[in-house]
Amino acid sequence: MAGVLKVRGGRPLTGEIRVRGAKNLVSKAMVAALLTDETSVLRNVPLIRDVDVVSELLRMHGAEVDYDQAAGTVTITPASLHLPDPAMVDELAGSSRIPILFCGPLLHRLGEAFIPDLGGCHIGDRPVDFHLRVLEDFGAIRDEQELGLHLTAPSGLKARKVKLPYPSVGATEQTLLAAVRAKGITELRGAAVEPEIMDLIAILQKMGALITVDTDRTIHIEGVERLHGFTHTALPDRIEAGSWAAAALATKGDITILGAVQDPMMNFLNVYRKVGGEFDVFDGGIRFWHPGTPLRSLPIETDVHPGFMTDWQQPMVVALTQAEGVSIVHETVYENRFGFTKALNKMGAKIQVYRECLGSKRCRFGQANFYHSAVIQGPTPLQAADITVPDLRGGFSHLIAALAAEGESNVAGIDLINRGYEHFMQKLQALNADVERLD
């Protein structure tokens, strides 16, 4: 794993940082630009690895991309498109599933698309398979080839009724991108309605799409023949804001997050206040701090929006190791998201994970033998350790733990954090963290 950070922990994080556009929206908005041959402009774009990957993927397909990193603006002109070499896409994208979302726009623009065997994620794995089913229901024909799947739509894509068994964000995005120019009216039931989805819908509406969102997670998309370019400012990243807010709790710090907004974080703010943290919402952002009094244990149950989002769970678990009493966390969105707790236990935390649903409701993982509930006993002082970042969100949580722990920790694999956290090294320095890059 590339990148090792030496962290001398045990000091509060204090200071001011800024968050820009949401990682979970920006890359999808850039893909949506392929639905037209006109120029689109996306603002408030963070400098993260995912933006670099999507920019290069767009260029590989023939689009002109101007990425002004200082201004945080991406300008995309996809006037002339073609299919690139699948091996090049595979090498660039790695395990990212972003290329799958290219299929709907490319089938509309070119009549064909290609899904490479992304980073060893074999076609037929459940998330990929659902994307294919949606595209095939809309009329795409697949041809299995050595390097992946070649899709064609000789008669164009046609609207269909789609019912999701679970409000999947990726499946909702795929359906939206395929339906906006499909012939007829698509009815999507059981859709995800996360703020990032609603921002994508706003972008598509700016482009000329006809989309209605009902109160029962049903979305109607009336296909149109042509779409136009857009100019849009991406909503702020509520995941990054929540991560730094949890770091303020865990380190007994005081962090002002410019660019953070209240509305998409209301559930997080409720939990933050219940656990004993303080915050102040102002026009330019939100200030989060530890008031100096003991933190309180509590139960948390993750859920799709408007529930407590799963990406807030991991950094908040680190903060809960410092709360008095027993906290219970029931993860209902992802089945295997407590692997990061092994490193926390190595650092002195007392966390046990269970297969049972330890929440107010039984979830889809309850009978599937997944460790999806955790019991955290606190407060437990954290001690420094050498740890390796397992993934983006778990990795940032390990970093928080190292910052809260007494002593020197070596955190390996920190380059993975660049995927979703802009300028995180500069932000650590701005918050007076004692960190040193070793390679």
Side-chain angles (χ1 to χ4, degrees):
M1 298 287 289
V4 178
L5 190 69
K6 180 178 288 294
V7 179
R8 301 175 184 91
R11 57 192 294 178
L13 293 183
T14 59
E16 183 179 280
I17 58 173
R18 177 176 293 278
V19 296
R20 289 205 280 190
K23 168 188 175 290
N24 288 352
L25 176 275
V26 167
S27 56
K28 321 306 168 53
M30 294 171 69
V31 173
L34 291 176
L35 287 162
T36 178
D37 58 2
E38 297 180 7
T39 298
S40 295
V41 179
L42 184 63
R43 299 193 177 107
N44 201 31
V45 176
L47 182 58
I48 56 175
R49 168 70 176 159
D50 274 17
V51 174
D52 292 333
V53 169
V54 179
S55 295
E56 285 305 309
L57 285 172
L58 290 169
R59 293 187 182 106
M60 282 184 180
H61 286 80
E64 297 178 11
V65 182
D66 179 14
Y67 182 13
D68 185 337
Q69 297 180 351
T73 300
V74 173
T75 303
I76 303 167
T77 305
S80 178
L81 297 181
H82 58 80
L83 290 188
D85 181 347
M88 294 175 61
V89 175
D90 191 14
E91 182 179 358
L92 174 66
S95 60
S96 169
R97 290 195 172 96
I98 280 291
I100 301 169
L101 292 177
F102 276 57
C103 291
L106 290 177
L107 287 168
H108 287 304
R109 292 286 306 279
L110 300 177
E112 61 177 341
F114 196 92
I115 303 176
D117 189 6
L118 299 172
C121 181
H122 299 292
I123 299 299
D125 287 350
R126 185 173 54 187
V128 179
D129 191 52
F130 182 85
H131 286 265
L132 287 173
R133 288 202 306 272
V134 168
L135 294 167
E136 288 179 318
D137 284 346
F138 275 69
I141 299 171
R142 68 164 144 172
D143 176 27
E144 296 189 18
Q145 299 182 0
E146 182 179 355
L147 295 177
L149 292 178
H150 182 239
L151 301 178
T152 57
S155 301
L157 299 183
K158 297 179 176 61
R160 294 292 300 270
K161 288 187 176 182
V162 179
K163 184 176 181 180
L164 302 183
Y166 182 79
S168 162
V169 169
T172 300
E173 292 164 343
Q174 183 69 266
T175 304
L176 287 169
L177 293 170
V180 286
R181 288 187 59 181
K183 298 172 184 175
I185 299 176
T186 296
E187 180 183 86
L188 172 59
R189 291 191 172 275
V193 292
E194 269 67 8
E196 295 80 10
I197 290 287
M198 301 308 294
D199 213 31
L200 178 60
I201 290 174
I203 288 170
L204 294 171
Q205 187 180 57
K206 287 182 177 181
M207 298 177 73
L210 298 171
I211 304 174
T212 303
V213 182
D214 296 337
T215 57
D216 62 349
R217 295 187 178 273
T218 299
I219 300 176
H220 291 91
I221 308 107
E222 184 175 344
V224 297
E225 186 174 342
R226 180 176 173 80
L227 292 172
H228 309 285
F230 65 84
T231 298
H232 188 79
T233 300
L235 84 167
D237 197 317
R238 61 193 176 121
I239 300 174
E240 182 180 2
S243 298
W244 288 112
L249 272 188
T251 66
K252 298 182 179 179
D254 187 335
I255 300 176
T256 296
I257 305 176
L258 301 177
V261 294
Q262 179 179 11
D263 288 356
M265 296 189 69
M266 282 191 169
N267 202 301
F268 177 87
L269 295 175
N270 287 337
V271 170
Y272 202 83
R273 182 163 282 160
K274 286 180 180 179
V275 80
E278 294 287 351
F279 63 87
D280 178 42
V281 179
F282 57 97
D283 286 345
I286 306 176
R287 175 191 167 206
F288 295 92
W289 72 95
H290 189 300
T293 52
L295 299 182
R296 299 182 288 270
S297 59
L298 80 170
I300 297 176
E301 197 160 29
T302 68
D303 206 346
V304 296
H305 189 76
F308 189 89
M309 73 182 308
T310 179
D311 289 314
W312 288 327
Q313 175 257 110
Q314 291 164 299
M316 186 56 74
V317 164
V318 180
L320 289 175
T321 66
Q322 305 308 301
E324 292 189 342
V326 176
S327 297
I328 299 174
V329 180
H330 182 208
E331 173 62 55
T332 75
V333 179
Y334 288 117
E335 62 267 34
N336 285 313
R337 213 158 200 192
F338 284 120
F340 78 102
T341 61
K342 293 179 181 178
L344 300 185
N345 284 335
K346 179 181 176 182
M347 299 174 77
K350 294 181 179 179
I351 305 173
Q352 292 180 299
V353 293
Y354 296 89
R355 297 184 179 92
E356 291 77 14
C357 295
L358 301 181
S360 62
K361 63 180 180 182
R362 294 180 64 85
C363 75
R364 57 201 175 117
F365 308 134
Q367 303 300 320
N369 225 25
F370 293 114
Y371 287 94
H372 69 293
S373 294
V375 175
I376 304 116
Q377 183 177 342
T380 52
L382 298 180
Q383 302 300 320
D386 292 343
I387 51 181
T388 299
V389 168
D391 54 58
L392 176 61
R393 306 304 175 187
F396 196 87
S397 300
H398 286 170
L399 180 60
I400 295 174
L403 291 164
E406 293 292 337
E408 290 187 355
S409 298
N410 291 320
V411 184
I414 60 164
D415 285 349
L416 185 58
I417 298 175
N418 285 323
R419 278 191 53 219
Y421 294 89
E422 180 186 42
H423 300 312
F424 86 94
M425 278 296 296
Q426 293 93 320
K427 289 176 181 177
L428 286 173
Q429 293 164 355
L431 296 174
N432 295 312
D434 190 351
V435 295
E436 177 186 357
R437 179 85 184 223
L438 298 182
D439 68 335

